[in-house]
Amino acid sequence: MFSKNTKYNFKLKTAFLILLSVCIQVSAQNNTWKPASFEIVKSNYKTFTTTQYAHVFSGSKHNIVRLAPELQGFQGVELPLDKYKSGTNTPLQLKFKEPVQVLVGIFQENSSEFLQSNKLENAKLVLKNGLTITGLPPVNVYALSFPKGTQTINPGSGLFAVLGVVKDGQKLSFRNAELPDGKLWNPTFIVEGFSDEKPLFEIIGGESRPVIDEGMSGTEGIQGGFEGGRVVKVGDTYHMFPTERAGEIGVDYYYDRVKTRIGHWTSKDAINWKRESTIYQASGTYAVTEDDNPMNDRRAAIWSYMPVFNEKANKWYGYYLAYTVSKEIEPNHSFGRIWRCESTVDGINGIGGPYKDMGIIMEPGLDSQPWEGRQGVASFFPYKVGDKYFGFYSGAYPFNSWADYPKKSGKGWFVALAESKSLEGPWTRMNKGLEPIKTMHPQFVENPIVSQLPNGLYIAIFDGGPDGWGHHLPNMIAYSLSADGVKWSEAHYLPIETKVDKWWDIMRTPLCLIPEGNDVYTIVYNAIDLKRRFHPTGMVKVKLNKDVMESRLKELK
């Protein structure tokens, strides 16, 4: 699992965030800019709403991830990226019903591919660092004045962004919004509904608050909330097996992710949940040596329980992760081992167990590779393709070489495939584990769960990585597609906060993609509100576009 061992002062952070929120609201209220209407003349350029995730340039993956509140809600113009970079574009013409000021984003990059600010005439700088666009340099926003009528917006050669049009005559106060460099978000990524591609999934709604939160029935004794696991549906009942960050009363929050347990929860609607039992409890005992030594407790922390029904054996199998825990080394989760267990109750209704351990199926060893890192094997999920089985296994905090073992680890969260003839194993790392799968995302793929769409496409839904803790990752639930279960496509990311109230700062792990009929799917997920110690669980509904599904299948074949 993703490791972060830095302590937060929650009271101070809460006060800071509240103050920051108030300052932003006051700033936005004092700088309300009134939009003016316009018409695009003699081109097929599209408009976009200037908001988070807005797709700014056609033929690209670049999206807005930060913007000054003054810009929120304006209509921008989606310019063709390559033509503007190369200077082969047809000049943009806009028709105005009144005198206006056009808000133009200028990239702070000294390159012929970008319009230079010294080429602007009669322009006023209104927002310094006013916008962040993934993969592109910092953006200053200028206001360019134009009279009524049809006007050519051609301030010079090179790429710029048209972010909106403002009524003339109003005061546009200058300020430095201090938003970060978009090149921190590298590589760029595809956001569903905010790209040139039609979305496979439409977010159709869900709960605008957590469905399991601190103080609710069943959360007694859970100090730090939830992270990871899986939800399955048996008949009309949802069964959830989350990692409960139990910790201990009176011990600081760092221990929540050490003394963990696997719970079993049920629900009839994926909204109202009841805790049924504890499946496994970790010891929470810290290691006595820094290496992978049998003297250490190798079940100190337990995570990522994945229930899978074995039709041949007519019983539920569980696959879960057990760690050694180091107090001093980052990450404190180390040397992951994947265990398999079986329900002692036969049949589909035996999902609640009890379960008995059947042994370790994957662990660090002679066939491990340095990219699996300090944390590997860090998760496992098996799925069937034809007459064989594949399993995603993961690594994190990679070593450049074995000479770095056991302390000197880098950054990266990767997955690769193992194969077996049965769910029982033995499981073998494919291609000797030489390279992780980087087609999904080159830096971060965590806890993929695989199922199949109605046309046979395999889909892996996973944690797309945090925008926080010093990382600039998509901060959204992700999915990847495969026609054969082996080759996986570039990830797409689901901006669920566009349809439900965003109660989180950092999106974490999706636990399922459950078909409900009529092309509707349920996703249960965990996320983090940085103002709080407890990590809640949420739920959202998405709808599958079958036409897009068929076109994706053709592309992948």
Side-chain angles (χ1 to χ4, degrees), residues 123-143:
K124 176 184 177 183
L125 177 61
V126 292
L127 284 172
K128 185 176 177 62
N129 301 311
L131 198 71
T132 302
I133 301 175
T134 57
L136 292 174
V139 181
N140 290 336
V141 180
Y142 290 81

Side-chain angles (χ1 to χ4, degrees), residues 66 74 79 90 168 172 257 259 297 348 353 419 457:
R66 300 280 196 281
F74 279 94
L79 304 178
T90 302
D168 196 23
L172 304 183
R257 63 189 318 276
K259 193 166 186 179
D297 188 333
I348 194 76
E419 60 183 339
L457 266 178

Side-chain angles (χ1 to χ4, degrees), residues 244-310:
E244 298 174 349
R245 297 159 37 91
E248 282 188 7
I249 295 174
V251 180
D252 205 354
Y253 75 96
Y254 68 87
Y255 198 52
D256 299 349
R257 63 189 318 276
V258 176
K259 193 166 186 179
T260 59
R261 67 189 187 199
I262 306 299
H264 175 212
W265 296 67
T266 60
S267 175
K268 294 294 186 180
D269 56 9
I271 299 173
N272 300 287
W273 291 90
K274 176 185 177 184
R275 194 178 191 278
E276 302 286 352
S277 65
T278 297
I279 303 297
Y280 284 103
Q281 171 71 62
S283 70
T285 303
Y286 284 103
V288 294
T289 71
E290 294 175 343
D291 58 350
D292 188 13
N293 193 310
M295 292 175 61
N296 298 325
D297 188 333
R298 290 175 167 174
R299 295 173 63 88
I302 292 176
W303 292 80
S304 301
Y305 188 90
M306 299 291 174
V308 176
F309 187 68
N310 186 336

Side-chain angles (χ1 to χ4, degrees), residues 120-288:
L120 299 177
E121 296 181 3
N122 301 318
K124 176 184 177 183
L125 177 61
V126 292
L127 284 172
K128 185 176 177 62
N129 301 311
L131 198 71
T132 302
I133 301 175
T134 57
L136 292 174
V139 181
N140 290 336
V141 180
Y142 290 81
L144 280 68
S145 295
F146 289 93
K148 177 183 176 180
T150 299
Q151 307 296 333
T152 299
I153 315 299
N154 191 28
S157 62
L159 187 67
F160 61 93
V162 177
L163 303 170
V165 179
V166 181
K167 291 179 180 291
D168 196 23
Q170 60 186 304
K171 183 179 179 181
L172 304 183
S173 300
F174 167 81
R175 73 182 184 93
N176 186 349
E178 299 182 337
L179 296 179
D181 186 344
K183 289 186 289 186
L184 295 171
W185 281 261
N186 188 22
T188 53
F189 47 89
I190 301 171
V191 182
E192 286 279 273
F194 293 91
S195 76
D196 293 332
E197 301 180 23
K198 291 183 178 180
L200 179 63
F201 292 105
E202 177 191 358
I203 296 113
I204 58 174
E207 294 299 297
S208 290
R209 59 176 179 79
V211 296
I212 307 180
D213 206 349
E214 187 174 15
M216 291 183 178
S217 177
T219 63
E220 301 84 2
I222 303 174
Q223 316 308 312
F226 305 91
E227 184 181 332
R230 190 185 187 195
V231 176
V232 296
K233 192 175 184 181
V234 178
D236 63 351
T237 302
Y238 299 87
H239 295 262
M240 178 167 60
F241 296 85
T243 301
E244 298 174 349
R245 297 159 37 91
E248 282 188 7
I249 295 174
V251 180
D252 205 354
Y253 75 96
Y254 68 87
Y255 198 52
D256 299 349
R257 63 189 318 276
V258 176
K259 193 166 186 179
T260 59
R261 67 189 187 199
I262 306 299
H264 175 212
W265 296 67
T266 60
S267 175
K268 294 294 186 180
D269 56 9
I271 299 173
N272 300 287
W273 291 90
K274 176 185 177 184
R275 194 178 191 278
E276 302 286 352
S277 65
T278 297
I279 303 297
Y280 284 103
Q281 171 71 62
S283 70
T285 303
Y286 284 103
V288 294

